[in-house]
Amino acid sequence: TMINASKEFRDVIYGNSNKGYVAKAIITLSDNTVIEVDSSDIWEGGIEITEQTSSSGNFDIGFCSCKQLVLKIKNTSNEFSSYDFYDAEIIPFVGLELSETTEYIKKMMLTVDDPVSQRPYISLTCLDNMHKLDKNVTSLSGSTAGQIVLNIANVCGVTLANTNFDGHNMNLDIPENVTEYTYRQALSYVCQATGAFAYFDVDGDLVIKWYDTGAFEQADNLDGGVFDSGGKIPTWSEFGNMTWEGLI
């Protein structure tokens, strides 16, 4: 993802000079109380971010990534003990100390799923908006990939960033037993059918895309070899007989 940052920020982060990293997080509790914590409030090593676009050790088509943050806030004097962090929204920022200022970039938007108080700190395990799709399908509508994904987003209360993603016009059938699946599994089916993966961006919006192949297109020798029997690679329209069960 492109980093929205100043030229000096980019020069420092991609350069060889020592980097003065700092962090902060804006926490909005379920009662709309807003708390801002900075590096002085965060336990040493107290930020762990897990994000991926494929499962470990695999290269998956249709993977629906859910980012996770574990944030540990100092609570040596019970300064945060009175707050209820469950279901709070957290926006973490990573910053750099530059020549005249400290510049921060937003990393993601998450919801606290499991707050645990274990003095001298409070540990907050947070998930991004993909967790909102981890519920059983009650109804699903649409005849194309784009319509189905938009319906999933609307039902689950999230925003779809790109309605015209590659393959959005592909016709897909919704099976009669769709209620046996979760909305996340339904999204995975659509992504597999269109050759994509799904994730939520830094603003908490759902994105359907594929990897940037520009680096491979610029190097003729990176062709990966031959894996077929000599026939042409089929188009997505030739995969019209794919079944829901076979893709999940």
Side-chain angles (χ1 to χ4, degrees):
T1 303
M2 182 71 71
I3 298 175
N4 184 16
S6 68
K7 182 179 184 302
E8 183 181 0
F9 187 101
R10 293 173 181 275
D11 290 343
V12 172
I13 202 163
Y14 294 120
N16 295 322
S17 60
N18 292 330
K19 301 172 179 61
Y21 288 112
V22 290
K24 69 176 183 179
I26 297 175
I27 305 172
T28 304
L29 305 181
S30 56
D31 65 1
N32 293 321
T33 300
V34 178
I35 305 168
E36 183 168 333
V37 297
D38 59 24
S39 293
S40 65
D41 301 307
I42 298 172
W43 194 258
E44 184 177 355
I47 294 183
E48 298 178 12
I49 295 176
T50 303
E51 52 183 321
Q52 56 193 48
T53 56
S54 188
S55 58
S56 179
N58 293 299
F59 186 72
D60 298 326
I61 298 175
F63 189 75
C64 296
S65 168
C66 185
K67 302 182 186 72
Q68 176 179 287
L69 164 72
V70 177
L71 177 66
K72 296 177 181 177
I73 303 173
K74 293 178 183 177
N75 197 40
T76 52
S77 301
N78 291 316
E79 51 265 60
F80 294 105
S81 294
S82 62
Y83 295 114
D84 180 6
F85 288 100
Y86 181 73
D87 213 29
E89 178 189 88
I90 291 189
I91 304 176
F93 296 81
V94 174
L96 276 179
E97 296 176 347
L98 304 180
S99 59
E100 298 182 358
T101 187
T102 299
E103 183 173 343
Y104 290 92
I105 58 169
K106 181 165 66 173
K107 287 293 294 179
M108 59 191 75
M109 292 179 62
L110 309 104
T111 303
V112 178
D113 181 64
D114 186 21
V116 177
S117 179
Q118 47 189 57
R119 288 186 63 186
Y121 59 78
I122 296 174
S123 179
L124 305 176
T125 299
C126 318
L127 304 173
D128 76 0
N129 280 345
M130 188 63 76
H131 85 280
K132 295 181 179 180
L133 278 62
D134 287 329
K135 55 187 178 183
N136 290 335
V137 174
T138 55
S139 64
L140 194 61
S141 63
S143 59
T144 66
Q147 291 169 353
I148 294 172
V149 172
L150 183 58
N151 181 239
I152 291 172
N154 290 337
V155 170
C156 295
V158 299
T159 300
L160 178 60
N162 53 335
T163 56
N164 293 326
F165 56 87
D166 289 345
H168 72 280
N169 284 326
M170 181 184 230
N171 291 319
L172 294 174
D173 293 326
I174 297 176
E176 294 182 358
N177 65 336
V178 66
T179 54
E180 297 177 9
Y181 302 100
T182 66
Y183 286 103
R184 188 171 177 182
Q185 287 175 310
L187 178 63
S188 177
Y189 161 74
V190 175
C191 288
Q192 288 181 60
T194 57
F197 63 82
Y199 70 96
F200 280 84
D201 63 18
V202 296
D203 295 316
D205 296 338
L206 177 60
V207 178
I208 312 296
K209 66 174 296 183
W210 188 239
Y211 300 97
D212 182 3
T213 58
F216 297 99
E217 294 169 354
Q218 295 172 15
D220 294 338
N221 61 326
L222 299 177
D223 61 5
V226 177
F227 295 90
D228 61 7
S229 59
K232 70 180 182 68
I233 298 174
T235 64
W236 279 114
S237 61
E238 293 173 308
F239 282 95
N241 62 346
M242 288 192 298
T243 63
W244 185 283
E245 290 80 3
L247 286 168
I248 293 180

